[in-house]
Amino acid sequence: MSLAVRVIPCLDVDDGRVVKGVHFENLRDAGDPVELAAEYYRQGADELTFLDVTASSSHRRTMVEVVNRTSETLFIPLTVGGGVRSVEDVDTLLRCGADKVGVNTAAINDPQLISRVSRRFGNQVLVLSVDARREKGEAHTESGFEVTTMGGRHSTGIDAVWWARRAQELGAGEVLLNSMDADGTKQGFDLEMIRAVRREVTIPVIASGGAGAPDDFPPAIAAGANAVLAASVFHYGVMTIRDVKQELRRAGYTVR
């Protein structure tokens, strides 16, 4: 029996409020994170992801209080990322209620962080967050997709597909693959990017970036994703989690 496809709302948090923009710019307030999380729980979300979208660029720690308040009222897995730089940061988030922790910039700067976290807490705890885009300018990667940081503002020149494979080798338990080109555009997921990563890793892949309608989600699963993640379309009522699950069922996929 195939595993159920997970539908995951993502709450991008800035200074304790949920925000959303296009390509991580022109951020708009979308509400209180704990209230939104509770609503998604009622709608049938399989997991929730909190990303502190400015934590790395402004060197702030992830919002522990928000995580604490949310974990007290929800009973589904909670992933938290943004500004996570050490094993101690992971320990703090797990203790205040997170089930999984996302790492991005810190793992690029120190890949062995992935191994240290995995050894201490188990690889199921660590989600590698990859903000990838089609290469441009001076970047020349084998796959054509490069890793970015700082909300897509900084190019690393690292091949995104190679990095996903390397992170799996180091102990990452999942890859959260976010297309920076598609992010916030509502034009659909980057299926080519999903397929490229799926060919190289065996761990679960979470597709993120670009969802605009319920029928955008089944193609991401067909391309190789194990879970689908979206933000603004849920926050602003474009669709509900039930709408997405209904579309996935109609396409023949198992959902909870």
Side-chain angles (χ1 to χ4, degrees), residues 36-76:
L36 277 172
E39 173 58 26
Y40 295 144
Y41 179 59
R42 285 191 292 270
Q43 288 184 22
D46 298 302
E47 298 183 13
L48 281 168
T49 294
F50 278 131
L51 293 179
D52 191 337
V53 296
T54 53
S56 291
S57 55
S58 58
H59 307 292
R60 283 188 289 103
R61 286 175 56 80
T62 309
M63 58 306 176
V64 169
E65 183 194 344
V66 169
V67 177
N68 216 331
R69 288 166 54 211
T70 304
S71 66
E72 288 173 354
T73 57
L74 302 188
F75 303 98
I76 54 176

Side-chain angles (χ1 to χ4, degrees), residues 104-170:
N104 184 342
T105 307
I108 293 168
N109 295 336
D110 176 16
Q112 291 305 317
L113 173 63
I114 297 171
S115 298
R116 293 195 298 273
V117 171
S118 179
R119 281 197 301 268
R120 178 160 172 184
F121 304 108
N123 72 340
Q124 78 284 350
V125 159
L126 195 137
V127 180
L128 180 76
S129 183
V130 181
D131 291 339
R133 69 180 176 204
R134 291 167 186 272
E135 64 183 21
K136 53 188 177 183
E138 298 300 314
H140 294 288
T141 61
E142 184 176 346
S143 71
F145 300 103
E146 67 167 325
V147 176
T148 68
T149 59
M150 304 299 178
R153 294 186 293 275
H154 176 69
S155 171
T156 67
I158 297 170
D159 187 309
V161 175
W162 172 87
W163 177 228
R165 184 176 65 242
R166 179 63 180 139
Q168 174 178 280
E169 294 167 354
L170 290 167

Side-chain angles (χ1 to χ4, degrees), residues 150-210:
M150 304 299 178
R153 294 186 293 275
H154 176 69
S155 171
T156 67
I158 297 170
D159 187 309
V161 175
W162 172 87
W163 177 228
R165 184 176 65 242
R166 179 63 180 139
Q168 174 178 280
E169 294 167 354
L170 290 167
E174 288 186 293
V175 175
L176 170 53
L177 183 64
N178 185 37
S179 168
M180 300 307 293
D181 298 312
D183 181 76
T185 64
K186 300 184 178 65
Q187 298 298 305
F189 294 93
D190 190 326
L191 304 180
E192 184 183 351
M193 182 188 291
I194 296 168
R195 283 192 288 266
V197 171
R198 170 45 68 213
R199 283 193 293 267
E200 297 297 326
V201 303
T202 57
I203 56 177
V205 173
I206 304 166
S208 170

Side-chain angles (χ1 to χ4, degrees), residues 12 17-20 28-33 36 40 232 235-236:
D12 297 329
R17 298 288 293 179
V18 176
V19 296
K20 193 59 191 169
R28 291 190 292 159
D29 188 288
D32 176 76
L36 277 172
Y40 295 144
S232 59
H235 304 337
Y236 299 124

